[in-house]
mmCIF file of all heavy atoms in Angstrom:
data_model
loop_
_atom_site.group_PDB
_atom_site.id
_atom_site.type_symbol
_atom_site.label_atom_id
_atom_site.label_comp_id
_atom_site.label_asym_id
_atom_site.label_seq_id
_atom_site.Cartn_x
_atom_site.Cartn_y
_atom_site.Cartn_z
ATOM 1 N N ARG C 185 21.392 -59.731 128.528
ATOM 2 C CA ARG C 185 21.943 -58.416 128.203
ATOM 3 C C ARG C 185 21.029 -57.627 127.275
ATOM 4 O O ARG C 185 21.319 -56.485 126.936
ATOM 5 C CB ARG C 185 23.319 -58.575 127.562
ATOM 6 C CG ARG C 185 24.330 -59.206 128.502
ATOM 7 C CD ARG C 185 24.939 -58.177 129.419
ATOM 8 N NE ARG C 185 25.646 -58.822 130.525
ATOM 9 C CZ ARG C 185 26.409 -58.177 131.399
ATOM 10 N NH1 ARG C 185 26.558 -56.878 131.297
ATOM 11 N NH2 ARG C 185 26.991 -58.803 132.386
ATOM 12 N N LEU C 186 19.949 -58.241 126.838
ATOM 13 C CA LEU C 186 18.935 -57.504 126.088
ATOM 14 C C LEU C 186 18.437 -56.310 126.875
ATOM 15 O O LEU C 186 18.003 -55.312 126.302
ATOM 16 C CB LEU C 186 17.732 -58.417 125.804
ATOM 17 C CG LEU C 186 17.781 -59.256 124.537
ATOM 18 C CD1 LEU C 186 16.803 -60.404 124.640
ATOM 19 C CD2 LEU C 186 17.460 -58.407 123.329
ATOM 20 N N CYS C 187 18.455 -56.411 128.184
ATOM 21 C CA CYS C 187 17.813 -55.382 128.999
ATOM 22 C C CYS C 187 18.560 -55.186 130.300
ATOM 23 O O CYS C 187 19.094 -56.133 130.861
ATOM 24 C CB CYS C 187 16.368 -55.795 129.289
ATOM 25 S SG CYS C 187 15.446 -54.512 130.148
ATOM 26 N N GLY C 188 18.574 -53.943 130.765
ATOM 27 C CA GLY C 188 19.175 -53.663 132.056
ATOM 28 C C GLY C 188 18.140 -53.473 133.146
ATOM 29 O O GLY C 188 18.462 -53.386 134.312
ATOM 30 N N ILE C 189 16.866 -53.403 132.751
ATOM 31 C CA ILE C 189 15.811 -53.205 133.747
ATOM 32 C C ILE C 189 15.254 -54.556 134.189
ATOM 33 O O ILE C 189 15.122 -54.817 135.367
ATOM 34 C CB ILE C 189 14.681 -52.308 133.203
ATOM 35 C CG1 ILE C 189 15.222 -50.895 132.958
ATOM 36 C CG2 ILE C 189 13.528 -52.254 134.201
ATOM 37 C CD1 ILE C 189 14.184 -49.927 132.452
ATOM 38 N N CYS C 190 14.929 -55.414 133.232
ATOM 39 C CA CYS C 190 14.416 -56.720 133.644
ATOM 40 C C CYS C 190 15.210 -57.864 133.008
ATOM 41 O O CYS C 190 14.634 -58.747 132.378
ATOM 42 C CB CYS C 190 12.921 -56.859 133.423
ATOM 43 S SG CYS C 190 12.370 -56.917 131.734
ATOM 44 N N PRO C 191 16.529 -57.895 133.200
ATOM 45 C CA PRO C 191 17.318 -58.996 132.637
ATOM 46 C C PRO C 191 16.919 -60.354 133.197
ATOM 47 O O PRO C 191 17.044 -61.375 132.497
ATOM 48 C CB PRO C 191 18.759 -58.650 133.017
ATOM 49 C CG PRO C 191 18.655 -57.695 134.155
ATOM 50 C CD PRO C 191 17.390 -56.940 133.932
ATOM 51 N N VAL C 192 16.425 -60.383 134.432
ATOM 52 C CA VAL C 192 16.033 -61.668 135.036
ATOM 53 C C VAL C 192 14.978 -62.359 134.168
ATOM 54 O O VAL C 192 14.962 -63.583 134.055
ATOM 55 C CB VAL C 192 15.517 -61.448 136.476
ATOM 56 C CG1 VAL C 192 14.831 -62.702 137.011
ATOM 57 C CG2 VAL C 192 16.663 -61.048 137.392
ATOM 58 N N SER C 193 14.111 -61.585 133.540
ATOM 59 C CA SER C 193 13.056 -62.187 132.702
ATOM 60 C C SER C 193 13.666 -62.974 131.562
ATOM 61 O O SER C 193 13.260 -64.113 131.286
ATOM 62 C CB SER C 193 12.155 -61.100 132.126
ATOM 63 O OG SER C 193 11.681 -60.275 133.144
ATOM 64 N N HIS C 194 14.639 -62.375 130.873
ATOM 65 C CA HIS C 194 15.290 -63.080 129.763
ATOM 66 C C HIS C 194 16.132 -64.242 130.295
ATOM 67 O O HIS C 194 16.190 -65.304 129.689
ATOM 68 C CB HIS C 194 16.161 -62.111 128.967
ATOM 69 C CG HIS C 194 15.368 -61.064 128.253
ATOM 70 N ND1 HIS C 194 14.599 -61.355 127.149
ATOM 71 C CD2 HIS C 194 15.201 -59.746 128.492
ATOM 72 C CE1 HIS C 194 13.999 -60.240 126.740
ATOM 73 N NE2 HIS C 194 14.343 -59.264 127.542
ATOM 74 N N HIS C 195 16.762 -64.025 131.413
ATOM 75 C CA HIS C 195 17.573 -65.073 132.049
ATOM 76 C C HIS C 195 16.705 -66.297 132.350
ATOM 77 O O HIS C 195 17.090 -67.440 132.054
ATOM 78 C CB HIS C 195 18.161 -64.476 133.340
ATOM 79 C CG HIS C 195 19.093 -65.360 134.079
ATOM 80 N ND1 HIS C 195 20.215 -65.913 133.507
ATOM 81 C CD2 HIS C 195 19.091 -65.796 135.371
ATOM 82 C CE1 HIS C 195 20.854 -66.646 134.413
ATOM 83 N NE2 HIS C 195 20.193 -66.589 135.546
ATOM 84 N N LEU C 196 15.523 -66.063 132.903
ATOM 85 C CA LEU C 196 14.657 -67.180 133.303
ATOM 86 C C LEU C 196 13.911 -67.784 132.116
ATOM 87 O O LEU C 196 13.749 -69.008 132.040
ATOM 88 C CB LEU C 196 13.671 -66.732 134.387
ATOM 89 C CG LEU C 196 14.310 -66.411 135.748
ATOM 90 C CD1 LEU C 196 13.243 -65.932 136.732
ATOM 91 C CD2 LEU C 196 15.031 -67.623 136.321
ATOM 92 N N ALA C 197 13.450 -66.945 131.193
ATOM 93 C CA ALA C 197 12.725 -67.502 130.034
ATOM 94 C C ALA C 197 13.662 -68.402 129.216
ATOM 95 O O ALA C 197 13.268 -69.493 128.780
ATOM 96 C CB ALA C 197 12.166 -66.377 129.164
ATOM 97 N N SER C 198 14.899 -67.956 129.031
ATOM 98 C CA SER C 198 15.837 -68.790 128.270
ATOM 99 C C SER C 198 16.237 -70.017 129.072
ATOM 100 O O SER C 198 16.405 -71.104 128.513
ATOM 101 C CB SER C 198 17.066 -67.975 127.854
ATOM 102 O OG SER C 198 17.657 -67.369 128.972
ATOM 103 N N SER C 199 16.381 -69.876 130.383
ATOM 104 C CA SER C 199 16.694 -71.052 131.211
ATOM 105 C C SER C 199 15.575 -72.079 131.126
ATOM 106 O O SER C 199 15.831 -73.294 131.076
ATOM 107 C CB SER C 199 16.896 -70.642 132.682
ATOM 108 O OG SER C 199 18.029 -69.824 132.811
ATOM 109 N N LYS C 200 14.329 -71.596 131.105
ATOM 110 C CA LYS C 200 13.197 -72.536 131.000
ATOM 111 C C LYS C 200 13.214 -73.253 129.654
ATOM 112 O O LYS C 200 12.905 -74.450 129.577
ATOM 113 C CB LYS C 200 11.875 -71.775 131.186
ATOM 114 C CG LYS C 200 11.630 -71.355 132.637
ATOM 115 C CD LYS C 200 10.345 -70.567 132.779
ATOM 116 C CE LYS C 200 9.110 -71.466 132.653
ATOM 117 N NZ LYS C 200 7.872 -70.688 132.856
ATOM 118 N N ALA C 201 13.579 -72.528 128.604
ATOM 119 C CA ALA C 201 13.687 -73.179 127.293
ATOM 120 C C ALA C 201 14.795 -74.226 127.323
ATOM 121 O O ALA C 201 14.647 -75.332 126.781
ATOM 122 C CB ALA C 201 13.955 -72.134 126.211
ATOM 123 N N MET C 202 15.909 -73.887 127.972
ATOM 124 C CA MET C 202 17.032 -74.824 128.043
ATOM 125 C C MET C 202 16.736 -75.997 128.982
ATOM 126 O O MET C 202 17.307 -77.075 128.824
ATOM 127 C CB MET C 202 18.309 -74.096 128.480
ATOM 128 C CG MET C 202 18.786 -73.075 127.463
ATOM 129 S SD MET C 202 18.812 -73.719 125.763
ATOM 130 C CE MET C 202 19.064 -72.212 124.842
ATOM 131 N N ASP C 203 15.847 -75.801 129.958
ATOM 132 C CA ASP C 203 15.385 -76.937 130.772
ATOM 133 C C ASP C 203 14.781 -78.002 129.861
ATOM 134 O O ASP C 203 14.993 -79.210 130.052
ATOM 135 C CB ASP C 203 14.304 -76.507 131.771
ATOM 136 C CG ASP C 203 14.823 -75.589 132.866
ATOM 137 O OD1 ASP C 203 16.050 -75.540 133.067
ATOM 138 O OD2 ASP C 203 13.985 -74.917 133.505
#
Side-chain angles (χ1 to χ4, degrees):
Chain C
R185 297 277 166 172
L186 272 161
C187 186
I189 294 181
C190 69
V192 168
S193 307
H194 293 288
H195 184 56
L196 291 178
S198 54
S199 295
K200 287 178 73 177
M202 294 313 168
D203 292 342

